[in-house]
Every structure is written in C-alpha cells, then in structure tokens.
Amino acid sequence: IIPFEQIKKFYQVTYFLELNQLEIMADDYERLFYKYVPNINEKTNVLEVGCANGLFLKRLKKRGIKKFKGIEPSKEAYSVTDSTIKPNIINDFIDNNLFESNSFDVACSFQTFDHVLEPNDFLQKIFKYIKPGGYFLQVHHNVNSLLPTLLGSKASTFDVEHIHLWSPKTMKLILEKNGFEIVKIKNITTGYLFGHALERLPLFSFLKRNLIKLSKWLKLDKLIIRFPVENMVIVSRKKPI
C-alpha cells in the first residue's frame, strides 16, 4: 500500500469524474437517504465524508435541510462546488478536531470506504461525530456482488484506488467492532450512463473504442441503465445512551 502522505497528494490533485455520472449517483444517494434514514426533517444535521462537488448535499438543501457539512480532499472537486454550499465544505481529509463530539444526526459516506487507508480509524472518527442514536449511511462496492463474481479481478471493483474490498460479512464485523449496530446491509441497483459503463468494461481496447464510438453515433452514450451488479447499501447506528 502506498504511504498515506503520497495517497493524500494523489487525492488532492485527482481526476474528477464526469458531471453527468455524478448527477445520477447523487440521485441514487438521495433516494437511499430518504428510504433508510428515519425521522429526517429540516433540523437534521448531516455530515458527508467524501462529498466530491457536493451534489448530494445540494439536493438535501433543496429538500429543506439547513444544517450540513461536507469533507472532500480533492482540490478540483472543491473548486467546482456550487457557491451556495461551498462554505459548508471542508477541503481536507477527516480528522479528529474538525467538529465537536456528538454533532451530527446522520453521517454519509458514498463510494469512499473502499479508498480509506485506515478503516478502523475512519470509523472511530465517524462514531465520535455522530450523536447517540444517530445513523451512518454508506454505499460502496460489494466484493461478493455479481460483477466481481463474474469478472474476477477484471471487474472495476478491483481498482488500484480501492485499498480495501468489502463484503456484507466484513462490513458487519468492522462496524460492530467500532461500536455501531447494524440496521441494514443489502445489494442495491445503481444507475450508470451507458457510455460510462462501456468505458469500465474489461474489453479489448479496439473493441471498446469502437463500441463507444457506436454508442455516441446512436446517441446511446447518455442513456441511463440500472443494474444490481456491484454496490451495496450499509445502514448502521450509534447505540443510544
């Protein structure tokens, strides 16, 4: 594993995912948030760790949530964050001294936990910032899901940026180890742009290149497809006092 200081530099200058795909992902996260986190109202205080350009938090603001914070290490993602929520975003990695203990009703982490170098340390920080009875909503890859099962190491799940790979079993173990109680773990359907999905398939380069050209010519590259092939939702809770 590359040393943390080097990884930190990489993430600060990392390539930023295409905006259209991020919009689809934010739609999915918004739907899951309101489906699995109970008692959401305008007073709910939300933390998102790894918030990219803040599209999910922007949706919460439109829904009437007034108190929210985001943490995002990428300078590029931070630079294109909407000005209406940018003051609520911290352009850094999660740390022990960013907020008071027991500050948030809900913490969220989307496609982030695979990238974390020290997952126990990460969870302990989240646990510290959530109020007793508060929820932690995660979405990321499931190493036992359909895509990695069929394609093995050629699946996009096995990415050099994914330092750890998780299954429902290992997520349950590490969350309980760090004081959380499990509410729900299940595979989910995720939306993809057809062109984005083609780019991530393990095909011969000439075949992939021509399929991408064909999809653009047929105007299928912006088509949204939905499959339950690689991601899971994990809902846990900090036990009430």
Side-chain angles (χ1 to χ4, degrees):
I1 297 175
I2 300 170
F4 174 71
E5 287 304 316
Q6 190 63 46
I7 291 174
K8 183 176 180 180
K9 291 177 183 177
F10 286 148
Y11 276 112
Q12 287 172 337
V13 297
T14 187
Y15 166 74
F16 192 49
L17 192 65
E18 60 180 294
L19 184 60
N20 288 336
Q21 180 61 36
L22 280 176
E23 292 279 4
I24 295 167
M25 293 164 72
D27 287 342
D28 285 339
Y29 303 152
E30 180 184 8
R31 174 177 55 82
L32 293 166
F33 180 82
Y34 282 95
K35 180 176 181 179
Y36 288 114
V37 181
N39 304 319
I40 298 298
N41 56 62
E42 65 176 18
K43 295 182 180 179
T44 301
N45 198 357
V46 181
L47 170 67
E48 184 186 1
V49 182
C51 65
N53 64 339
L55 284 177
F56 168 72
L57 294 175
K58 187 176 179 181
R59 282 163 168 73
L60 296 191
K61 184 176 181 181
K62 286 183 178 179
R63 290 259 203 156
I65 291 180
K66 295 181 173 63
K67 296 190 292 184
F68 58 86
K69 291 288 184 180
I71 302 172
E72 172 54 49
S74 168
K75 293 179 180 178
E76 184 179 354
Y78 180 73
S79 71
V80 294
T81 298
D82 191 283
S83 60
T84 62
I85 64 168
K86 198 169 187 177
N88 296 68
I89 310 300
I90 298 171
N91 186 202
D92 206 340
F93 290 83
I94 189 169
D95 203 344
N96 271 318
N97 302 310
L98 295 178
F99 313 105
E100 295 291 329
S101 298
N102 305 321
S103 293
F104 297 94
D105 301 295
V106 187
C108 301
S109 169
F110 304 122
Q111 301 298 359
T112 298
F113 199 56
D114 315 75
H115 300 251
V116 172
L117 184 63
E118 298 289 350
N120 288 295
D121 180 68
F122 178 87
L123 291 175
Q124 288 161 21
K125 291 182 173 81
I126 297 288
F127 188 87
K128 172 185 175 181
Y129 291 141
I130 299 176
K131 298 175 183 177
Y135 285 79
F136 182 28
L137 174 67
Q138 296 172 271
V139 174
H140 55 75
H141 295 87
N142 173 7
V143 73
N144 290 343
S145 59
L146 182 62
L147 200 63
T149 299
L150 291 178
L151 300 180
S153 62
K154 296 186 186 306
S156 56
T157 313
F158 293 88
D159 189 299
V160 66
E161 294 181 12
H162 294 161
I163 298 171
H164 298 92
L165 298 173
W166 303 97
S167 68
K169 179 181 178 180
T170 54
M171 282 307 304
K172 181 177 184 294
L173 287 170
I174 196 167
L175 283 164
E176 289 180 343
K177 173 183 176 181
N178 286 282
F180 293 89
E181 58 181 8
I182 304 301
V183 177
K184 175 80 69 176
I185 301 178
K186 63 175 293 185
N187 287 329
I188 56 171
T189 298
T190 310
Y192 304 91
L193 288 172
F194 185 69
H196 176 77
L198 275 179
E199 290 177 356
R200 294 169 69 85
L201 285 176
L203 303 172
F204 292 112
S205 57
F206 76 93
L207 176 60
K208 180 185 291 190
R209 187 165 56 249
N210 287 314
L211 284 174
I212 291 172
K213 287 181 180 178
L214 179 62
S215 72
K216 289 180 178 179
W217 183 72
L218 294 173
K219 298 182 178 180
L220 296 175
D221 56 315
K222 301 302 181 186
L223 179 70
I224 299 174
I225 56 176
R226 303 191 68 85
F227 289 108
V229 293
E230 62 176 343
N231 291 313
M232 59 180 167
V233 61
I234 307 101
V235 187
S236 57
R237 189 171 72 137
K238 181 174 180 177
K239 295 178 182 179
I241 295 176

